Amino acid sequence: MASPLYNASGVMCRTREELDAVAGSAAGALITKSCTLLPREGNPEPRYRATPLGSINSMGLPNEGYQYYFDYARQFDYRKPLFVSISGMSLDDNLQMLTALRALNLPCLPEVNLSCPNLPGKPQLAYDFAATAEALEQISQVYPHPFGVKLPPYFDPVHFAQMAALLNRFDGLRFVTCINSVGNGLLVDLESESTLIRPKGGLGGLGGDYVLPTALANVREFSRLMPEKHVIGCGGIKSGAEAFMHLLCGATAVQIGTCLHEEGVAAFARIESELIELMQRKGYQCLADFRGKLKTLDC
Ligand code: RRO
């Protein structure tokens, strides 16, 4: 990748036109919106709102259906890496999409989304460790090529260790993206005394400044506990400073969500130049000079 920055799945990636805009920007890669077997409208509006500290969303998986994104992957010129996010409504749906992707034999990389927080009545799969293990067993059977997973945030060292041990069992699993939005937060408008978004009584996934420390902890712990895998950082990156922090915590590359939604694709060139300036000030020539080298204060 010419740059370590690209879009978080869900932002600027639902339509061909949006994907082309990311492909034509300074982003180092691109990823599609999570797809299901059939197209989906998603949850009722308003379903995304930004605040000075970040965003809340309950989009509900609006997407054009997997065939649309696989067609895009078929005609893509691969001037930069293309990731395809897959988020079936069931394990069987995921297996069906991955079987179809395998048959196409394209150079794109699937990111299997185990962490959509916004489907009423459906808990996030990756909070169920036994179900995650079963899903990865079956995925590895039907898709014997490199793939990754999108994880929700975890909040306890025991859970980091258990999930890392589970993921380390799968050789085909080459990367994990940390983190999806922090699920089921609630933002309240003081004036109207109302929720900001309509679905699920106002509950939605948080992004932006709200989630940076949680994202950094997940990147740091998973990169420490899974030295053979790549960790893609996602959460709270809005300038070169946060991108640097994610890389320092061990990320190989980083995704931009809320900031990209608010600023558009110009964010990639801006954040990249801020990151380069920061590296120059610190005397670093390449990402490997500081990647994963976070210092801690213990003796
Ligand atoms: O579409 C969404 O509501 C959504 C998904 Br699939 C996801 O994985 N994460 C998120 O914050 N929103």
Side-chain angles (χ1 to χ4, degrees), residues 4 7 56-57 60 87 91 105 139 184 192 228 240 263 275 277:
N7 65 304
I56 186 165
N57 88 82
S87 189
L91 175 57
N105 207 20
I139 286 169
N184 298 294
S192 61
E228 306 294 314
E263 183 176 341
L275 176 61
E277 195 183 307

Side-chain angles (χ1 to χ4, degrees), residues 33-34 43 57-62 87 113 115-118 150 180-181 205:
K33 171 67 184 168
S34 292
N43 291 338
N57 88 82
S58 182
M59 304 298 289
L61 210 31
S87 189
N113 185 356
S115 49
C116 176
N118 299 330
K150 176 84 166 268
N180 206 320
S181 54

Side-chain angles (χ1 to χ4, degrees), residues 35-37 70 85-100 112-114 125 135 139 142-143:
C35 63
T36 48
L37 280 183
F70 288 12
S85 174
I86 288 182
S87 189
M89 303 299 284
S90 66
L91 175 57
D92 278 348
D93 288 3
N94 278 335
L95 298 176
Q96 189 176 324
M97 289 187 272
L98 288 165
T99 303
V112 182
N113 185 356
L114 302 179
L125 188 76
I139 286 169
V142 304
Y143 197 80

Side-chain angles (χ1 to χ4, degrees), residues 48-299:
Y48 170 94
R49 286 282 299 273
T51 75
L53 292 177
S55 66
I56 186 165
N57 88 82
S58 182
M59 304 298 289
L61 210 31
N63 77 93
E64 309 298 321
Y66 80 102
Q67 268 152 346
Y68 180 94
Y69 301 101
F70 288 12
D71 281 348
Y72 188 84
R74 262 208 302 243
Q75 57 81 54
F76 188 60
D77 62 10
Y78 293 91
R79 75 190 97 149
K80 50 182 78 168
L82 171 66
F83 296 80
V84 176
S85 174
I86 288 182
S87 189
M89 303 299 284
S90 66
L91 175 57
D92 278 348
D93 288 3
N94 278 335
L95 298 176
Q96 189 176 324
M97 289 187 272
L98 288 165
T99 303
L101 190 62
R102 180 190 178 185
L104 291 175
N105 207 20
L106 296 169
C108 62
L109 280 162
E111 179 186 272
V112 182
N113 185 356
L114 302 179
S115 49
C116 176
N118 299 330
L119 298 174
K122 264 192 183 295
Q124 292 164 79
L125 188 76
Y127 284 142
D128 179 336
F129 289 35
T132 299
E134 178 61 23
L136 290 173
E137 297 282 0
Q138 296 202 32
I139 286 169
S140 300
Q141 296 293 315
V142 304
Y143 197 80
H145 299 296
F147 70 97
V149 291
K150 176 84 166 268
L151 295 178
Y154 298 94
F155 302 95
D156 191 291
V158 172
H159 295 157
F160 289 134
Q162 287 175 343
M163 182 49 70
L166 191 168
L167 297 170
N168 275 330
R169 297 194 340 234
F170 298 94
D171 290 340
L173 180 81
R174 301 289 168 81
F175 69 92
V176 300
T177 303
C178 299
I179 56 173
N180 206 320
S181 54
V182 172
N184 298 294
L186 182 62
L187 296 183
V188 173
D189 180 66
L190 196 55
E191 284 313 306
S192 61
E193 302 176 9
S194 167
T195 63
L196 294 192
I197 57 172
R198 187 182 306 279
K200 289 179 70 175
L203 301 190
L206 302 177
D209 296 357
Y210 296 116
V211 313
L212 176 67
T214 299
L216 292 175
N218 278 260
V219 169
R220 165 73 170 166
E221 290 307 292
F222 281 113
S223 57
R224 235 170 30 81
L225 294 165
M226 305 192 303
E228 306 294 314
K229 317 246 183 246
H230 290 283
V231 176
I232 311 294
C234 182
I237 297 169
K238 63 179 182 186
S239 76
E242 299 81 27
F244 185 94
M245 290 180 202
H246 269 264
L247 296 160
L248 189 65
C249 287
T252 301
V254 297
Q255 301 175 343
I256 320 285
T258 300
C259 171
L260 173 62
H261 190 282
E262 297 310 303
E263 183 176 341
V265 295
F268 293 118
R270 176 183 62 77
I271 297 172
E272 185 185 2
S273 73
E274 291 168 357
L275 176 61
I276 290 168
E277 195 183 307
L278 190 53
M279 288 171 60
Q280 282 170 346
R281 179 153 66 74
K282 288 170 172 284
Y284 295 133
Q285 321 227 303
C286 63
L287 302 182
D289 288 347
F290 64 96
R291 175 182 288 133
K293 295 191 176 164
L294 178 71
K295 296 174 202 151
T296 59
L297 305 181
D298 21 60
C299 22

